[in-house]
C-alpha cells in the first residue's frame, strides 16, 4: 500500500514523498545542459512515477520557466494522476493584480487547465499578505487553482495568510520551508507548531542539504566542491561537524535492509509530519529517494537522530 498524505484541509492527496524540480532546466545554478539534460530529468520523472510518487513542485523562476515547461510536457502524458505545485514570485511585482497574469503564464508553460497547488514563493515584497491571499482566493473561485500554499513564511506570516483565506472560506494547504536534520529552524521558530495547529502541511525543501546528508562528502574520494557547492551547508567545517550524524544515519540504515543515509534522513522528516521534496537529476537518484517510503524508524531511532542533529545553529 502506497504512503499518502493530505495537503492540509484541501482535497489533495499525494505521495508522502515528493519531487523538487528546480534542477529541471536551471543552467545558472544547477548546470542543466552541461552535466545532465532533458533526457536525464525525463528518466528521473519516469523512475519517480514508477516508484509511486505523485507530487511535483516547480516555480515560475526555476530556469526562467523551463522547469514548468519540462514538467508540463511530462505530466500531460498522464491523465490526472499527478499533482502539480508551482509558485508565484512577488518580488518585482507592485500589486496583487500581478498574480493573475503570472498564473496564466505558468498555466501556459505547463500546458494545464489549472494548477493543483499554487504557492506564494516568498512573503516579502511590496504586496501585503492579505492582498495576495485574496488574489489567490479569486483564482480558486475561478477554477484556475485547486489549493493555496505559501513558502518561506514565518509563523506570524503563516497565521495572517491562514486568517485571510479563512475569511473567504478557503483553507491554507501548505507552507514550504527549508527543513532537514541539519536545518531544524522550523522546530524552533514556531513554524512547525503553527502548521500542526492550523492543519497546514509543511513541505520540506533542501531535505538532503544539497547532498550533504547522502554521506558522499564524508568519503575519502568526496567530489570536488563546484561553484554550486560553495554553500554554507557544504563548507568544510559543516561537513566535519555533521560526521556523527552521518555515522548514525549509516548505522540505522543498515538495520533497515541497508537503507542509505539519505533514505533515513528523508524518513525522519516524513515521521515529523513533513512532506520532503528532494531533487533528482537522474533515474538512479529518483529511485534512491523513493526508498524512503514503505518502512518506519522506531521512536527511539527518531529520538537519537533528533538528539545528534540538535547542535546550536541548526
Amino acid at each position: 500500500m502506497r504512503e499518502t498524505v493530505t495537503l492540509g484541509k484541501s482535497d489533495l492527496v499525494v505521495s508522502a514523498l515528493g519531487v523538487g524540480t528546480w534542477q529541471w532546466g536551471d543552467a545558472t545554478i544547477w548546470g542543466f545542459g552541461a552535466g545532465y539534460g532533458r533526457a536525464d530529468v525525463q528518466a528521473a520523472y519516469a523512475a519517480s512515477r514508477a516508484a509511486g510518487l505523485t507530487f511535483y513542485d516547480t516555480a515560475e523562476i526555476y530556469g526562467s520557466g523551463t522547469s514548468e515547461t519540462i514538467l508540463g510536457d511530462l505530466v500531460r502524458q498522464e491523465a490526472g494522476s499527478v499533482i502539480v505545485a508551482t509558485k508565484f514570485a512577488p518580488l518585482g511585482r507592485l500589486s496583487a493584480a500581478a498574480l493573475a497574469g503570472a498564473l496564466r503564464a505558468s498555466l501556459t508553460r505547463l500546458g494545464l487547465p489549472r494548477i493543483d497547488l499554487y504557492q506564494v514563493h516568498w512573503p516579502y515584497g511590496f504586496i501585503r499578505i492579505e492582498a495576495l491571499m485574496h488574489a489567490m482566493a479569486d483564482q480558486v473561485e475561478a477554477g484556475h487553482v485547486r489549493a493555496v500554499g505559501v513558502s518561506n513564511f514565518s509563523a506570524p506570516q503563516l497565521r495572517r495568510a491562514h486568517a485571510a483565506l479563512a475569511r473567504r472560506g478557503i483553507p491554507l494547504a501548505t507552507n514550504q520551508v527549508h527543513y532537514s536534520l541539519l536545518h531544524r529552524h522550523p522546530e524552533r521558530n514556531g513554524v512547525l507548531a503553527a502548521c500542526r495547529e492550523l492543519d497546514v502541511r509543511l513541505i520540506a525543501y533542501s531535505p538532503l542539504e544539497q547532498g550533504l546528508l547522502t554521506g558522499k562528502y564524508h568519503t575519502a574520494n568526496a567530489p570536488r566542491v563546484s561553484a554550486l557547492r560553495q554553500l554554507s551547508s557544504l563548507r568544510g567545517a559543516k561537513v566535519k561537524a555533521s560526521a556523527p550524524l552521518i555515522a548514525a544515519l549509516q548505522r540505522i540504515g543498515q538495520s533497515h535492509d541497508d537503507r542509505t543515509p539519505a533514505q533515513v534522513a528523508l524518513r525522519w522528516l516524513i515521521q515529523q509530519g513533513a512532506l520532503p521534496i528532494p531533487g533528482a537529476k537522474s533515474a538512479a537518484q529518483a529511485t534512491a529517494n523513493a526508498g524512503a517510503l514503505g518502512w518506519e524508524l522506531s521512536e527511539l531511532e527518531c529520538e537519537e537522530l533528533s538528539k545528534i542533529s540538535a547542535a546550536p545553529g541548526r
Side-chain angles (χ1 to χ4, degrees), residues 155 158-159 186-187 189-199 202:
L158 175 69
R159 293 181 185 280
E187 298 173 14
N189 61 21
V191 166
L192 181 59
C195 284
R196 289 171 173 169
E197 175 192 338
L198 300 174
D199 198 3
L202 188 151

Side-chain angles (χ1 to χ4, degrees), residues 25-79:
D26 187 284
T28 303
I29 296 177
W30 290 103
F32 180 80
Y36 69 105
R38 186 161 183 145
D40 298 291
V41 299
Q42 287 175 337
Y45 178 82
S48 61
R49 290 293 295 123
L53 304 193
T54 61
F55 182 72
Y56 294 79
D57 178 82
T58 184
E60 63 174 342
I61 66 167
Y62 294 169
S64 299
T66 303
S67 173
E68 287 182 324
T69 299
I70 292 173
L71 180 59
D73 288 346
L74 295 168
V75 169
R76 289 196 308 275
Q77 298 174 29
E78 305 181 70

Side-chain angles (χ1 to χ4, degrees), residues 40-285:
D40 298 291
V41 299
Q42 287 175 337
Y45 178 82
S48 61
R49 290 293 295 123
L53 304 193
T54 61
F55 182 72
Y56 294 79
D57 178 82
T58 184
E60 63 174 342
I61 66 167
Y62 294 169
S64 299
T66 303
S67 173
E68 287 182 324
T69 299
I70 292 173
L71 180 59
D73 288 346
L74 295 168
V75 169
R76 289 196 308 275
Q77 298 174 29
E78 305 181 70
S81 56
V82 172
I83 300 299
V84 173
T86 192
K87 309 182 199 72
F88 164 77
L91 286 181
R93 269 84 181 235
L94 299 180
S95 78
L99 187 143
L103 173 60
R104 285 194 297 271
S106 286
L107 286 170
T108 297
R109 286 187 291 269
L110 287 163
L112 298 174
R114 64 176 178 173
I115 289 171
D116 297 307
L117 176 67
Y118 199 38
Q119 306 156 94
V120 176
H121 210 150
W122 307 280
Y124 41 86
F126 294 104
I127 313 172
R128 294 183 71 247
I129 289 172
E130 288 75 11
L132 283 170
M133 292 304 105
H134 284 299
M136 283 282 199
D138 288 343
Q139 297 305 318
V140 172
E141 292 175 355
H144 301 145
V145 170
R146 291 180 63 186
V148 177
V150 294
S151 182
N152 299 303
F153 273 46
S154 67
Q157 291 164 340
L158 175 69
R159 293 181 185 280
R160 285 174 59 188
H162 182 274
L165 285 173
R167 288 192 286 272
R168 297 284 296 270
I170 296 170
L172 178 64
T174 60
N175 185 18
Q176 184 178 148
V177 297
H178 184 185
Y179 187 29
S180 77
L181 274 166
L182 290 175
H183 189 93
R184 296 177 60 188
H185 293 64
E187 298 173 14
R188 290 188 289 271
N189 61 21
V191 166
L192 181 59
C195 284
R196 289 171 173 169
E197 175 192 338
L198 300 174
D199 198 3
V200 172
R201 179 69 59 182
L202 188 151
I203 300 175
Y205 71 76
S206 296
L208 297 178
E209 295 298 328
Q210 291 79 42
L212 183 55
L213 285 170
T214 65
K216 66 182 180 181
Y217 291 96
H218 295 79
T219 63
N221 58 343
R224 182 176 297 177
V225 177
S226 65
L228 167 66
R229 302 304 183 187
Q230 298 291 345
L231 300 168
S232 60
S233 61
L234 292 178
R235 290 174 185 159
K238 286 203 170 184
V239 173
K240 184 177 181 180
S242 65
L245 175 60
I246 298 299
L249 291 170
Q250 291 171 333
R251 174 173 46 77
I252 291 172
Q254 288 171 358
S255 67
H256 290 277
D257 298 323
D258 288 326
R259 303 287 176 175
T260 67
Q263 290 166 346
V264 177
L266 292 171
R267 188 70 223 174
W268 180 87
L269 280 170
I270 292 169
Q271 293 185 215
Q272 307 313 301
L275 169 58
I277 51 168
K281 296 189 292 185
S282 68
Q285 287 181 343

Side-chain angles (χ1 to χ4, degrees), residues 1-3 16 257 259 267 270 290-296:
M1 185 175 179
R2 292 176 178 174
E3 284 187 77
D257 298 323
R259 303 287 176 175
R267 188 70 223 174
I270 292 169
L293 297 175
W295 58 284
E296 287 192 356

